[in-house]
Structure formats: structure tokens, C-alpha cells
Amino acid sequence: MSTSMMSASTAASAVSSRAASRGTRVTARASAVAGRRAAAGMVVTARVKDSAAPARYEAIFLMKPGVEDGVRAAEVDKLRTMFEAGGATEFEVTDKGLCQNMYEIKGFADSHQYMLNIQCPRGTVKVVQDTLAMPIIGGEEVILRYMFFKEK
């Protein structure tokens, strides 16, 4: 009876190893820290990225065309303070001016474009994106659209 139990367990492990080699999902949990051994004897190969490590980003912001210069400058200053609060070491702003969009964004054919070059910790960009995604209640939304790109 014990030999049949052993053959069943070895057959199950062989099936799971074949499934893993074919790219099928295997239900074995491993810890999130690189190099540690899990309870099942598996070695974790994925590394956890350090969220405090600095990275370079490029961002494009499209703002409404009819907004005054002072309001646009205030929005850029708000972005600067958000990034500096998150630990940004570089913050460079390039004003591209009023440009025509390829398609209408929220009913606007034109937008005032800003390009930002930022060096900050990885978690800071996520915090800023989450802040920008929240709707503004009682105020005017100046930013039509934004997009972040990570530089390598």
C-alpha cells in the first residue's frame, strides 16, 4: 500500500514538472524575496524591484487651450511639488506651446503641451498618477491627458 502511495506522489510531481515545462500554470506558492527557499523546496527566481531606487522618466501633459498662463504655471508647480515631495532629484519642464491634437480629446482639437524629464524613485510616479486620476470636485480640470514613459 505504501508503494502505491509513493508512485502516486511521484507521478503527481512528474505531471506538475511537465506542466511547468509547457508553460502551464502550476499552483505552488513561493515567497517574494529573491534567493529564499519556499516551503515546497522551490527556489524563487523573480526579484523584487526596489521602489526607492531612482529611475528616469519622461512625461507628456496636455492642458486645455483656453486656460490662462498663471493657471498653467500653477499646475506645473503642483506637479513639481508632488514629485519633490516624493524624492525627485531632477525636474525639467519644456513648454511645447499650443499644438493641434491628432484627434479631439474631451472635445478639444488643440492643447497646450508640456514635456517633463524627471528622475525620481519608482514609487513616486505611481503616487502622482493615482493623484492625477482622482476627479476634481468643485474645481476645473486643467489637464486633459498625461502619459509617463520610463527611460532605460
Side-chain angles (χ1 to χ4, degrees):
M1 193 154 133
S2 66
T3 57
S4 65
M5 288 292 276
M6 290 173 65
S7 63
S9 66
T10 55
S13 66
V15 168
S16 65
S17 66
R18 281 195 307 257
S21 66
R22 281 185 266 152
T24 319
R25 181 178 220 172
V26 179
T27 59
R29 295 192 142 213
S31 62
V33 180
R36 292 211 179 154
R37 295 193 181 271
M42 299 174 61
V43 176
V44 179
T45 57
R47 294 184 182 264
V48 177
K49 292 186 178 178
D50 186 12
S51 65
R56 293 192 55 80
Y57 294 94
E58 184 173 280
I60 302 290
F61 282 85
L62 306 179
M63 296 191 189
K64 288 184 178 178
V67 178
E68 297 176 4
D69 293 338
V71 176
R72 284 197 310 266
E75 285 293 320
V76 171
D77 285 339
K78 261 200 274 187
L79 290 169
R80 182 186 312 268
T81 56
M82 280 193 280
F83 278 108
E84 287 176 353
T89 56
E90 288 182 29
F91 190 87
E92 181 184 333
V93 180
T94 305
D95 187 356
K96 298 282 189 174
L98 190 64
C99 299
Q100 187 173 5
N101 300 332
M102 296 302 287
Y103 54 91
E104 284 191 5
I105 299 173
K106 296 184 182 177
F108 294 98
D110 297 332
S111 64
H112 203 91
Q113 298 182 3
Y114 286 94
M115 187 171 77
L116 308 176
N117 290 314
I118 310 151
Q119 183 171 357
C120 63
R122 294 181 179 161
T124 304
V125 172
K126 177 68 175 149
V127 170
V128 170
Q129 284 179 339
D130 291 344
T131 304
L132 291 172
M134 288 187 227
I136 299 172
I137 299 173
E140 181 185 3
E141 285 190 29
V142 178
I143 298 174
L144 295 174
R145 187 148 307 159
Y146 58 90
M147 186 175 285
F148 289 91
F149 303 98
K150 184 178 176 193
E151 296 179 3
K152 289 191 176 191

